[in-house]
Amino acid sequence: MAANYTEVFQDPNAVEKYAEDTYAPGTFSSIVSSRQTGWLRGFVPTAFGVPPVHHDFACGTGRVARMLSGLVEVSHGYDTSEAMLAKGRELGTPGYAHLVGPGGAAPAASPGRPALVTAFRFVLNVDEALRDQLMEFASAALPDADAGLLLVENHGNAASLRHLRKTFGRLDASTWFQELSHAEMRALFDRHRYELVGVQGFTLFTRGCYRAPVAWFAKATDGLLASPMSKRCTDVVYVARRR
């Protein structure tokens, strides 16, 4: 994890590169994002009887809110970076963007509506204290089991091909591109009284496998096997509910 991760995206140039290059059409991240969109747009209407209020922790440019457009009552995004939120507005992100200070995010009140809390591309990049802040935020929006659902992405699952980079010494521990195991994620949920109710995977392969000459094989295999082999995927989303 980069020690200054929370400061990285205060820089508009870093935000522009993240939004326009990392998620450029045809890139690995954009392909995974497209799969996540398809899954979310099928999952949310079946998981909720009425459109929920969406709370996106560390929302960045609002990518998840755009995925859920039209499926939720309203989206609230919370981030410490004004540059990220500004880029989100430029991209047409629906709902409300809340600029918050470190540790200052609190979900907007939504009496009478179920809540959907999301945290994508966050837990892998930060330390345990910030993961606990996420869970405390989620718990404020989800006080009990009937209040709604929490969706947390782990884009570095230790039970995947990604782990081979660490096994063979190719993972640079000085970067934030680390890995989290299913056990670590379960421990996080358990510590905050959440029950894990589902795991959905989106790619068995890593970014490097999406380059020529093996890209065609990785894409085809992921299209067929990523969902049924979710726990072995590099990128997974955990679905949890308060106990």
PDB file of all heavy atoms in Angstrom, residues 150-169:
ATOM      1  N   LEU A 150     -24.263  -4.513   1.844  1.00  0.00           N
ATOM      2  CA  LEU A 150     -22.946  -3.926   1.646  1.00  0.00           C
ATOM      3  C   LEU A 150     -22.207  -4.716   0.571  1.00  0.00           C
ATOM      4  O   LEU A 150     -22.136  -5.946   0.633  1.00  0.00           O
ATOM      5  CB  LEU A 150     -22.153  -3.981   2.959  1.00  0.00           C
ATOM      6  CG  LEU A 150     -20.659  -3.657   2.888  1.00  0.00           C
ATOM      7  CD1 LEU A 150     -20.429  -2.215   2.440  1.00  0.00           C
ATOM      8  CD2 LEU A 150     -20.000  -3.916   4.243  1.00  0.00           C
ATOM      9  N   LEU A 151     -21.676  -4.018  -0.425  1.00  0.00           N
ATOM     10  CA  LEU A 151     -20.888  -4.639  -1.483  1.00  0.00           C
ATOM     11  C   LEU A 151     -19.475  -4.079  -1.431  1.00  0.00           C
ATOM     12  O   LEU A 151     -19.287  -2.852  -1.521  1.00  0.00           O
ATOM     13  CB  LEU A 151     -21.489  -4.350  -2.865  1.00  0.00           C
ATOM     14  CG  LEU A 151     -22.566  -5.300  -3.402  1.00  0.00           C
ATOM     15  CD1 LEU A 151     -23.757  -5.373  -2.454  1.00  0.00           C
ATOM     16  CD2 LEU A 151     -23.034  -4.851  -4.788  1.00  0.00           C
ATOM     17  N   VAL A 152     -18.485  -4.958  -1.266  1.00  0.00           N
ATOM     18  CA  VAL A 152     -17.091  -4.534  -1.160  1.00  0.00           C
ATOM     19  C   VAL A 152     -16.257  -5.288  -2.195  1.00  0.00           C
ATOM     20  O   VAL A 152     -16.264  -6.521  -2.231  1.00  0.00           O
ATOM     21  CB  VAL A 152     -16.529  -4.798   0.252  1.00  0.00           C
ATOM     22  CG1 VAL A 152     -15.079  -4.331   0.339  1.00  0.00           C
ATOM     23  CG2 VAL A 152     -17.376  -4.110   1.310  1.00  0.00           C
ATOM     24  N   GLU A 153     -15.534  -4.526  -2.999  1.00  0.00           N
ATOM     25  CA  GLU A 153     -14.669  -5.134  -4.009  1.00  0.00           C
ATOM     26  C   GLU A 153     -13.270  -5.383  -3.440  1.00  0.00           C
ATOM     27  O   GLU A 153     -12.705  -4.540  -2.743  1.00  0.00           O
ATOM     28  CB  GLU A 153     -14.541  -4.210  -5.221  1.00  0.00           C
ATOM     29  CG  GLU A 153     -13.639  -4.782  -6.321  1.00  0.00           C
ATOM     30  CD  GLU A 153     -13.358  -3.787  -7.436  1.00  0.00           C
ATOM     31  OE1 GLU A 153     -13.478  -2.563  -7.206  1.00  0.00           O
ATOM     32  OE2 GLU A 153     -13.010  -4.229  -8.542  1.00  0.00           O
ATOM     33  N   ASN A 154     -12.720  -6.548  -3.758  1.00  0.00           N
ATOM     34  CA  ASN A 154     -11.314  -6.872  -3.501  1.00  0.00           C
ATOM     35  C   ASN A 154     -10.690  -7.149  -4.866  1.00  0.00           C
ATOM     36  O   ASN A 154     -10.930  -8.197  -5.457  1.00  0.00           O
ATOM     37  CB  ASN A 154     -11.206  -8.095  -2.585  1.00  0.00           C
ATOM     38  CG  ASN A 154      -9.775  -8.598  -2.445  1.00  0.00           C
ATOM     39  OD1 ASN A 154      -8.826  -7.927  -2.828  1.00  0.00           O
ATOM     40  ND2 ASN A 154      -9.623  -9.806  -1.897  1.00  0.00           N
ATOM     41  N   HIS A 155      -9.907  -6.216  -5.375  1.00  0.00           N
ATOM     42  CA  HIS A 155      -9.335  -6.412  -6.702  1.00  0.00           C
ATOM     43  C   HIS A 155      -7.922  -6.981  -6.646  1.00  0.00           C
ATOM     44  O   HIS A 155      -7.135  -6.827  -7.584  1.00  0.00           O
ATOM     45  CB  HIS A 155      -9.390  -5.124  -7.531  1.00  0.00           C
ATOM     46  CG  HIS A 155      -8.618  -3.958  -6.974  1.00  0.00           C
ATOM     47  ND1 HIS A 155      -8.998  -3.299  -5.841  1.00  0.00           N
ATOM     48  CD2 HIS A 155      -7.515  -3.314  -7.424  1.00  0.00           C
ATOM     49  CE1 HIS A 155      -8.154  -2.298  -5.610  1.00  0.00           C
ATOM     50  NE2 HIS A 155      -7.240  -2.301  -6.552  1.00  0.00           N
ATOM     51  N   GLY A 156      -7.656  -7.722  -5.545  1.00  0.00           N
ATOM     52  CA  GLY A 156      -6.385  -8.430  -5.421  1.00  0.00           C
ATOM     53  C   GLY A 156      -6.549  -9.671  -4.571  1.00  0.00           C
ATOM     54  O   GLY A 156      -5.873  -9.868  -3.555  1.00  0.00           O
ATOM     55  N   ASN A 157      -7.460 -10.542  -4.966  1.00  0.00           N
ATOM     56  CA  ASN A 157      -7.758 -11.751  -4.216  1.00  0.00           C
ATOM     57  C   ASN A 157      -6.529 -12.663  -4.128  1.00  0.00           C
ATOM     58  O   ASN A 157      -5.955 -13.048  -5.145  1.00  0.00           O
ATOM     59  CB  ASN A 157      -8.924 -12.481  -4.896  1.00  0.00           C
ATOM     60  CG  ASN A 157      -9.229 -13.826  -4.267  1.00  0.00           C
ATOM     61  OD1 ASN A 157      -8.910 -14.079  -3.109  1.00  0.00           O
ATOM     62  ND2 ASN A 157      -9.851 -14.695  -5.039  1.00  0.00           N
ATOM     63  N   ALA A 158      -6.143 -13.023  -2.907  1.00  0.00           N
ATOM     64  CA  ALA A 158      -4.954 -13.851  -2.702  1.00  0.00           C
ATOM     65  C   ALA A 158      -5.147 -15.292  -3.144  1.00  0.00           C
ATOM     66  O   ALA A 158      -4.166 -16.036  -3.291  1.00  0.00           O
ATOM     67  CB  ALA A 158      -4.547 -13.827  -1.230  1.00  0.00           C
ATOM     68  N   ALA A 159      -6.386 -15.706  -3.381  1.00  0.00           N
ATOM     69  CA  ALA A 159      -6.648 -17.086  -3.820  1.00  0.00           C
ATOM     70  C   ALA A 159      -6.760 -17.158  -5.337  1.00  0.00           C
ATOM     71  O   ALA A 159      -7.463 -18.003  -5.876  1.00  0.00           O
ATOM     72  CB  ALA A 159      -7.931 -17.605  -3.178  1.00  0.00           C
ATOM     73  N   SER A 160      -6.046 -16.285  -6.054  1.00  0.00           N
ATOM     74  CA  SER A 160      -6.154 -16.220  -7.505  1.00  0.00           C
ATOM     75  C   SER A 160      -4.774 -16.300  -8.149  1.00  0.00           C
ATOM     76  O   SER A 160      -3.748 -16.417  -7.472  1.00  0.00           O
ATOM     77  CB  SER A 160      -6.821 -14.905  -7.912  1.00  0.00           C
ATOM     78  OG  SER A 160      -5.943 -13.823  -7.662  1.00  0.00           O
ATOM     79  N   LEU A 161      -4.755 -16.189  -9.482  1.00  0.00           N
ATOM     80  CA  LEU A 161      -3.492 -16.179 -10.209  1.00  0.00           C
ATOM     81  C   LEU A 161      -2.595 -15.027  -9.777  1.00  0.00           C
ATOM     82  O   LEU A 161      -1.372 -15.103  -9.897  1.00  0.00           O
ATOM     83  CB  LEU A 161      -3.748 -16.069 -11.714  1.00  0.00           C
ATOM     84  CG  LEU A 161      -4.337 -17.294 -12.413  1.00  0.00           C
ATOM     85  CD1 LEU A 161      -4.609 -16.979 -13.881  1.00  0.00           C
ATOM     86  CD2 LEU A 161      -3.395 -18.485 -12.298  1.00  0.00           C
ATOM     87  N   ARG A 162      -3.199 -13.970  -9.273  1.00  0.00           N
ATOM     88  CA  ARG A 162      -2.433 -12.821  -8.796  1.00  0.00           C
ATOM     89  C   ARG A 162      -1.393 -13.231  -7.766  1.00  0.00           C
ATOM     90  O   ARG A 162      -0.297 -12.665  -7.702  1.00  0.00           O
ATOM     91  CB  ARG A 162      -3.402 -11.794  -8.205  1.00  0.00           C
ATOM     92  CG  ARG A 162      -2.757 -10.511  -7.689  1.00  0.00           C
ATOM     93  CD  ARG A 162      -3.812  -9.663  -6.986  1.00  0.00           C
ATOM     94  NE  ARG A 162      -3.229  -8.471  -6.384  1.00  0.00           N
ATOM     95  CZ  ARG A 162      -3.257  -7.274  -6.954  1.00  0.00           C
ATOM     96  NH1 ARG A 162      -3.833  -7.124  -8.121  1.00  0.00           N
ATOM     97  NH2 ARG A 162      -2.720  -6.231  -6.340  1.00  0.00           N
ATOM     98  N   HIS A 163      -1.733 -14.249  -6.957  1.00  0.00           N
ATOM     99  CA  HIS A 163      -0.836 -14.682  -5.897  1.00  0.00           C
ATOM    100  C   HIS A 163       0.482 -15.225  -6.446  1.00  0.00           C
ATOM    101  O   HIS A 163       1.502 -15.184  -5.747  1.00  0.00           O
ATOM    102  CB  HIS A 163      -1.523 -15.749  -5.043  1.00  0.00           C
ATOM    103  CG  HIS A 163      -0.756 -16.125  -3.803  1.00  0.00           C
ATOM    104  ND1 HIS A 163      -0.637 -15.276  -2.724  1.00  0.00           N
ATOM    105  CD2 HIS A 163      -0.045 -17.238  -3.479  1.00  0.00           C
ATOM    106  CE1 HIS A 163       0.093 -15.864  -1.792  1.00  0.00           C
ATOM    107  NE2 HIS A 163       0.461 -17.053  -2.225  1.00  0.00           N
ATOM    108  N   LEU A 164       0.474 -15.735  -7.668  1.00  0.00           N
ATOM    109  CA  LEU A 164       1.704 -16.271  -8.250  1.00  0.00           C
ATOM    110  C   LEU A 164       2.781 -15.206  -8.371  1.00  0.00           C
ATOM    111  O   LEU A 164       3.973 -15.499  -8.300  1.00  0.00           O
ATOM    112  CB  LEU A 164       1.418 -16.874  -9.632  1.00  0.00           C
ATOM    113  CG  LEU A 164       0.492 -18.098  -9.649  1.00  0.00           C
ATOM    114  CD1 LEU A 164       0.259 -18.558 -11.083  1.00  0.00           C
ATOM    115  CD2 LEU A 164       1.082 -19.235  -8.815  1.00  0.00           C
ATOM    116  N   ARG A 165       2.382 -13.944  -8.566  1.00  0.00           N
ATOM    117  CA  ARG A 165       3.362 -12.862  -8.657  1.00  0.00           C
ATOM    118  C   ARG A 165       4.127 -12.732  -7.338  1.00  0.00           C
ATOM    119  O   ARG A 165       5.330 -12.471  -7.328  1.00  0.00           O
ATOM    120  CB  ARG A 165       2.665 -11.544  -8.985  1.00  0.00           C
ATOM    121  CG  ARG A 165       2.029 -11.504 -10.364  1.00  0.00           C
ATOM    122  CD  ARG A 165       1.312 -10.190 -10.596  1.00  0.00           C
ATOM    123  NE  ARG A 165       2.232  -9.068 -10.564  1.00  0.00           N
ATOM    124  CZ  ARG A 165       1.859  -7.798 -10.387  1.00  0.00           C
ATOM    125  NH1 ARG A 165       0.579  -7.518 -10.210  1.00  0.00           N
ATOM    126  NH2 ARG A 165       2.753  -6.841 -10.383  1.00  0.00           N
ATOM    127  N   LYS A 166       3.407 -12.937  -6.229  1.00  0.00           N
ATOM    128  CA  LYS A 166       4.066 -12.866  -4.928  1.00  0.00           C
ATOM    129  C   LYS A 166       4.908 -14.117  -4.689  1.00  0.00           C
ATOM    130  O   LYS A 166       6.029 -14.043  -4.191  1.00  0.00           O
ATOM    131  CB  LYS A 166       3.022 -12.705  -3.827  1.00  0.00           C
ATOM    132  CG  LYS A 166       3.611 -12.447  -2.449  1.00  0.00           C
ATOM    133  CD  LYS A 166       2.522 -12.104  -1.463  1.00  0.00           C
ATOM    134  CE  LYS A 166       3.111 -11.723  -0.123  1.00  0.00           C
ATOM    135  NZ  LYS A 166       2.055 -11.340   0.849  1.00  0.00           N
ATOM    136  N   THR A 167       4.364 -15.264  -5.071  1.00  0.00           N
ATOM    137  CA  THR A 167       5.071 -16.526  -4.879  1.00  0.00           C
ATOM    138  C   THR A 167       6.418 -16.529  -5.584  1.00  0.00           C
ATOM    139  O   THR A 167       7.434 -17.005  -5.053  1.00  0.00           O
ATOM    140  CB  THR A 167       4.222 -17.697  -5.404  1.00  0.00           C
ATOM    141  OG1 THR A 167       2.973 -17.709  -4.696  1.00  0.00           O
ATOM    142  CG2 THR A 167       4.930 -19.023  -5.209  1.00  0.00           C
ATOM    143  N   PHE A 168       6.454 -15.975  -6.790  1.00  0.00           N
ATOM    144  CA  PHE A 168       7.680 -15.979  -7.574  1.00  0.00           C
ATOM    145  C   PHE A 168       8.442 -14.657  -7.485  1.00  0.00           C
ATOM    146  O   PHE A 168       9.302 -14.365  -8.318  1.00  0.00           O
ATOM    147  CB  PHE A 168       7.372 -16.324  -9.036  1.00  0.00           C
ATOM    148  CG  PHE A 168       6.914 -17.752  -9.209  1.00  0.00           C
ATOM    149  CD1 PHE A 168       5.568 -18.041  -9.347  1.00  0.00           C
ATOM    150  CD2 PHE A 168       7.811 -18.797  -9.185  1.00  0.00           C
ATOM    151  CE1 PHE A 168       5.131 -19.350  -9.489  1.00  0.00           C
ATOM    152  CE2 PHE A 168       7.389 -20.112  -9.317  1.00  0.00           C
ATOM    153  CZ  PHE A 168       6.044 -20.395  -9.465  1.00  0.00           C
ATOM    154  N   GLY A 169       8.110 -13.866  -6.481  1.00  0.00           N
ATOM    155  CA  GLY A 169       8.895 -12.678  -6.195  1.00  0.00           C
ATOM    156  C   GLY A 169       8.719 -11.534  -7.153  1.00  0.00           C
ATOM    157  O   GLY A 169       9.609 -10.677  -7.269  1.00  0.00           O
TER     158      GLY A 169
END
